[in-house]
Amino acid sequence: MARNTVKQDEDLKRRSNFEIIKRLLTYLKEYKMKVLVVILLMIYVMACNILNPYLLKIAIDDYIGAKNINGLMKIGVFMTLLNLLAMFASRKRIRLMSSVTNNILLKIRQELYSHIQKLSFSFFDSRPAGKILARVIGDVNSLQDLFTNSVTSFIPELLTLICVAVVMFSMNFKLAIAAISILPLLAASMFTIEVVSRRRWQAYRQKRSNTNAYTHEDFSGIKVIQSFTAEKRTSKSFLKLVKEMMDAFVSAVRLNDLFWPIVEISSGIGTIIVFWYSVKLYGAGRVTVGTIVAFIGYIGMFWRPIFNISNFYNTLITNFAAAERIFEILDIPPDIVSIHDAVKMPRIKGSVEFKNVTFGYEDGTVVLDNVNFKVKPGETIALVGPTGAGKTTIVNLISRFYDAQKGEVLIDGKNVKDVEIESLRSQMGIMLQDTFLFSTTIMENIRYGKLDATDEEVIAAAKAVNAHEFIMKLENGYNTVVNERGSRLSVGQRQLISFARALLANPRILILDEATSNIDTFTERLVQKGIKKLLFGRTSFVIAHRLSTIRDADRIMVIDGGRIVEEGTHEELINLRGAYYNLYMSQYKFLNEGA
């Protein structure tokens, strides 16, 4: 799969408005009782607002004209109590709906985050991390107004619009027709804007994603940038991306801003038509003053929900692009999943077997070709060979980060495809060349291998791999906080902490993938002692280009061209004078020439 770069717009699948709305509304099901309470509160507020002009009509026509002060006082008190309760109901429903919205956003973000963690390596290889972060953070946040407005704005405003229209038609049919005569033109204008506006908001979110990805990549590689004094060049690239994002935003907003003038102009024209026609009807004696005053009040109430619905529609269009980007990731199926009837992997004893295993990537490249071997529990197997020969692929298949296209990978006689992934990987320890440490204390970094480990267990693991001595020399010992990726520590120190973490986890199968390639000779001696502690009593696979680190392995497998071309102990392979012998001699010849 081709990688989407930080400066390349993402290709998204277009979804229908109905599909997006239907899917978003499913998140409200869990909170249907709270939403129902919110709707009931809004109906009460809406009823009060609708009733106010009618009560005003009664006060003018029945009480003021008749000089009925007592009746006027009663209706005044009634309206005051009615509106005070409406104020309380309005505050309550806003707080309740805000709580529902925040919980929904939390659920969507957690669902998205959990789903991304299950996706295969190819997903992360095909796009920058910054673009993934943009969806988890920015795009999810963009849905807040949409969920809030869908219940607190759209539903009550639609009900208000219907109720006001019913009241207006019941009061005077001709005036009501005059009031809504401009609506068809308004609807046509808004639909036309929506078609273009959505495309522009999609473009803006793509440009924002590019900027986010570039910023993340730039800061992650800040050492390289500063080493090559590339600050000015990266600043120019950043400025260009920001300008593209700004231009896309302005383009989208400029079109969106047409919503309000169109609604306001339509409202003004509609009101002028009602005023003009009501004057004619009053002159003909066909309406009372109270009816005209009430109708003018209702005209305002009729256009206010139209304005708010337009606002919601505008929010909908603005955030459809965010919803599309979220659903696009949620709809990517994980390549590696536990089968329906997968069994829990029992405690691993350590036997590993490859039966006629063939594996290749999507582009058709064959990495492993009919590989067969058996490993006994507790054996240490070294995998050597040229870059791209298939060494890392073998250990990835054991951990089931990929599935073989042909053949079987068996652990303790069980096909790894038939067991639960978590129960399999939880019994494995994988250490890579690039050791990752978290931005926390050394104690917590080691404890990551066993979250419920005591301080004594952590210290014992560090002592076992010869990490205790250098840790105690640090400013705060085990409570020393390391930076992200452990940049305050040397490569060897980070590796020793990683070994302590792995030892604490007590994996049944251990995989070391070039774990000692960047370590100096002095530190390597400490690391080798740590490795011996790690390897003892567990099945281990060690990938190493530095052949001096694997001389004591029980078996060495030479991988070349996707096949095992040689297999045996160090002495056996040296005496064989084949591929391993050539690798070993060429490496030491290079070192001697350098000396």
Side-chain angles (χ1 to χ4, degrees), residues 14-15 25 73 87 104 120 132 172 221 285 332 433 447 482 522 531 553 569:
R14 169 84 184 203
R15 300 168 187 268
L25 290 178
M73 289 290 293
M87 265 173 58
I104 289 175
S120 62
I132 301 174
N172 192 294
I332 297 175
Q433 176 180 348
R447 187 178 277 123
V482 298
F522 173 77
I531 288 177
T569 65

Side-chain angles (χ1 to χ4, degrees), residues 403-574:
D403 280 335
Q405 276 87 30
K406 296 180 182 178
E408 294 180 305
V409 178
L410 306 174
I411 296 179
D412 293 346
K414 296 181 181 295
N415 192 320
V416 294
K417 293 181 181 180
D418 298 332
V419 300
E420 293 178 358
I421 294 176
E422 186 176 350
S423 67
L424 172 69
R425 292 179 184 167
S426 64
Q427 300 188 64
M428 293 186 175
I430 303 173
M431 294 183 57
L432 306 175
Q433 176 180 348
D434 184 17
T435 301
F436 188 91
L437 298 182
F438 297 93
S439 300
T440 183
T441 64
I442 290 176
M443 179 73 75
E444 292 304 314
N445 267 290
I446 297 176
R447 187 178 277 123
Y448 202 81
K450 182 185 176 185
L451 298 178
D452 59 349
T454 64
D455 290 355
E456 290 72 21
E457 288 176 316
V458 170
I459 294 171
K463 287 180 177 179
V465 298
N466 299 304
H468 179 74
E469 184 177 350
F470 92 81
I471 292 174
M472 293 306 297
K473 291 180 180 178
L474 297 174
E475 52 189 19
N476 294 313
Y478 284 87
N479 291 318
T480 301
V481 176
V482 298
N483 298 334
E484 186 178 356
R485 297 184 179 272
S487 58
R488 293 180 60 185
L489 304 174
S490 69
V491 174
Q493 289 171 335
R494 295 201 298 269
Q495 288 289 10
L496 289 174
I497 291 174
S498 180
F499 287 154
R501 179 196 292 167
L503 183 63
L504 189 63
N506 191 27
R508 304 306 306 149
I509 295 177
L510 180 67
I511 296 169
L512 304 180
D513 191 350
E514 294 290 347
T516 61
S517 60
N518 293 329
I519 299 176
D520 59 84
T521 305
F522 173 77
T523 307
E524 183 183 347
R525 293 173 185 171
L526 293 177
V527 169
Q528 286 299 334
K529 293 178 181 179
I531 288 177
K532 287 182 180 179
K533 292 280 188 180
L534 281 172
L535 301 182
F536 181 76
R538 54 176 58 89
T539 303
S540 305
F541 292 84
V542 181
I543 299 175
H545 283 109
R546 192 183 295 183
L547 301 184
S548 61
T549 63
I550 52 138
R551 293 184 56 167
D552 296 330
D554 295 314
R555 264 191 295 164
I556 298 172
M557 294 182 186
V558 183
I559 316 295
D560 195 5
R563 289 178 174 270
I564 299 174
V565 295
E566 286 181 3
E567 183 177 354
T569 65
H570 173 75
E571 289 76 14
E572 288 172 347
L573 294 179
I574 287 294

Side-chain angles (χ1 to χ4, degrees), residues 44 63 83 87 116 146 218 225 232 275 286 318 330 370 435-437 462 548 553:
Y44 174 77
Y63 296 119
N83 284 278
M87 265 173 58
I116 289 173
L146 193 150
D218 190 69
I225 292 170
K232 289 184 178 179
F275 269 106
R286 300 167 73 177
T318 302
L330 285 175
N370 196 35
T435 301
F436 188 91
L437 298 182
S548 61

Side-chain angles (χ1 to χ4, degrees), residues 339-445:
I339 61 175
H340 176 67
D341 55 350
V343 297
K344 190 172 182 179
M345 186 73 183
R347 181 174 170 81
I348 292 176
K349 296 176 181 177
S351 68
V352 178
E353 182 178 0
F354 272 45
K355 283 187 176 180
N356 306 313
V357 171
T358 297
F359 175 81
Y361 292 108
E362 293 179 0
D363 60 3
T365 304
V366 177
V367 182
L368 297 180
D369 184 14
N370 196 35
V371 172
N372 292 272
F373 65 81
K374 290 183 179 180
V375 177
K376 297 176 183 178
E379 273 194 299
T380 297
I381 306 299
L383 303 175
V384 301
T387 301
K391 304 183 296 297
T392 300
T393 301
I394 288 176
V395 296
N396 281 338
L397 290 174
I398 295 172
S399 307
R400 209 189 163 203
F401 289 125
Y402 300 104
D403 280 335
Q405 276 87 30
K406 296 180 182 178
E408 294 180 305
V409 178
L410 306 174
I411 296 179
D412 293 346
K414 296 181 181 295
N415 192 320
V416 294
K417 293 181 181 180
D418 298 332
V419 300
E420 293 178 358
I421 294 176
E422 186 176 350
S423 67
L424 172 69
R425 292 179 184 167
S426 64
Q427 300 188 64
M428 293 186 175
I430 303 173
M431 294 183 57
L432 306 175
Q433 176 180 348
D434 184 17
T435 301
F436 188 91
L437 298 182
F438 297 93
S439 300
T440 183
T441 64
I442 290 176
M443 179 73 75
E444 292 304 314
N445 267 290

Side-chain angles (χ1 to χ4, degrees), residues 139-151:
D139 290 337
V140 174
N141 286 342
S142 298
L143 299 180
Q144 183 167 4
D145 289 341
L146 193 150
F147 277 109
T148 301
N149 290 340
S150 65
V151 176

